Amino acid sequence: MKFGAIGCSHTSQGYGEPWPIHLGKTLEMEPIIASSSGAGNSMFIEKCRRIADSEPNLIVVQITEPTRITTGLASFDLSSHTSDYNSELNDGGHFENTGYYTWNTFSNDPLFSKLGHKTKIDDFWRKEVSTSNWCYINTVHSMLAMQYICDNKKIPVIFFSWFLPFENFIPTKYNWLNDSMNLVRGCANDFFKDNQIKSLPDNHYGSDAHRQLVDGWLSRQIRKYVLE
């Protein structure tokens, strides 16, 4: 049996054995890992579609920071600045002949300069886009797209959030998602904080921290939905 594991760098194997490895041992299932380091939730959609095509028994999606906004980028259509270090399923800037760029609040201009474009957009993006309520709506839309893909393939999908509990960012007009989606309560960050588990210097977590996350929180939540 296999399950898909989709998420950002906190799902990648760049910092040791991540949660999909430990969850796979607990569920006795082989993980198909699709991580997108630094990317936003909308980049996960096509990877969800790709994994769903292989008909796994389950897909688990780790939702990342809602303010990460991912758009297309023609310069990365053939490969991205990280393609030399990652497999296609684990590239955060390129997937299936399509380039992706995830905007941030402080360093868009330097990258664009390397691509031959002179821009001054960081201040605008930080003040007007990353603080917009639309970021939360956009996250919900990404989740709905992945839910639809999985429903169409009749594959159970479970969502859990890394940075914020769902109730902190899903708009109240979408409260009906609580009854129509498998949403794990709480978030990974709160688990680490409550259990005083320290991160690595770059704010990621190593193998043992991920094992504790699975054993102490995530596996119980996943099993609840799987057994239902």
Side-chain angles (χ1 to χ4, degrees):
M1 298 176 71
K2 297 183 179 181
F3 76 97
I6 302 169
C8 65
S9 58
H10 294 290
T11 295
S12 79
Q13 299 184 74
Y15 307 92
E17 291 188 336
W19 63 267
I21 300 296
H22 300 287
L23 185 62
K25 294 175 182 177
T26 299
L27 299 179
E28 297 183 340
M29 299 172 71
E30 178 184 350
I32 305 170
I33 300 175
S35 62
S36 303
S37 295
N41 296 295
S42 58
M43 189 177 181
F44 304 166
I45 299 171
E46 281 300 291
K47 294 188 178 184
C48 181
R49 189 266 313 155
R50 169 85 162 263
I51 290 178
D53 285 344
S54 68
E55 299 184 347
N57 302 92
L58 171 72
I59 290 179
V60 181
V61 181
Q62 170 249 307
I63 294 298
T64 191
E65 169 59 54
T67 58
R68 293 185 184 179
I69 305 304
T70 302
T71 62
L73 191 68
S75 294
F76 289 171
D77 278 350
L78 296 179
S79 65
S80 78
H81 58 312
T82 63
S83 295
D84 290 341
Y85 312 101
N86 295 287
S87 65
E88 185 177 36
L89 268 178
N90 294 283
D91 192 329
H94 171 84
F95 184 65
E96 291 185 340
N97 300 316
T98 301
Y100 294 84
Y101 179 70
T102 299
W103 298 72
N104 56 68
T105 59
F106 56 88
S107 61
N108 303 290
D109 292 336
L111 175 63
F112 294 161
S113 178
K114 292 180 181 179
L115 297 176
H117 305 288
K118 293 182 178 180
T119 64
K120 291 184 178 181
I121 199 170
D122 282 356
D123 189 57
F124 167 81
W125 195 269
R126 181 171 57 254
K127 293 178 179 178
E128 296 292 342
V129 180
S130 64
T131 59
S132 169
N133 288 333
W134 173 87
C135 292
Y136 305 118
I137 295 173
N138 183 58
T139 299
V140 169
H141 291 174
S142 295
M143 293 169 63
L144 286 168
M146 288 185 276
Q147 180 76 52
Y148 182 84
I149 289 169
C150 293
D151 286 349
N152 188 59
K153 293 283 188 176
K154 294 181 173 55
I155 299 169
V157 57
I158 301 170
F159 298 90
F160 80 94
S161 180
W162 196 269
F163 294 101
L164 296 168
F166 288 115
E167 61 266 27
N168 285 20
F169 66 83
I170 292 181
T172 55
K173 57 190 173 185
Y174 282 101
N175 278 347
W176 51 270
L177 293 179
N178 293 312
D179 298 321
S180 61
M181 281 185 171
N182 297 325
L183 304 179
V184 173
R185 302 304 172 195
C187 69
N189 259 6
D190 284 352
F191 175 85
F192 291 131
K193 182 179 179 180
D194 292 344
N195 290 276
Q196 299 182 334
I197 299 172
K198 293 184 178 180
S199 69
L200 300 173
D202 64 357
N203 295 320
H204 288 88
Y205 291 86
S207 299
D208 189 60
H210 277 258
R211 179 190 59 76
Q212 293 181 68
L213 177 73
V214 170
D215 292 346
W217 174 61
L218 189 59
S219 64
R220 295 200 304 269
Q221 303 295 324
I222 299 295
R223 282 185 179 277
K224 179 180 70 174
Y225 289 116
V226 170
L227 292 175
E228 287 179 351

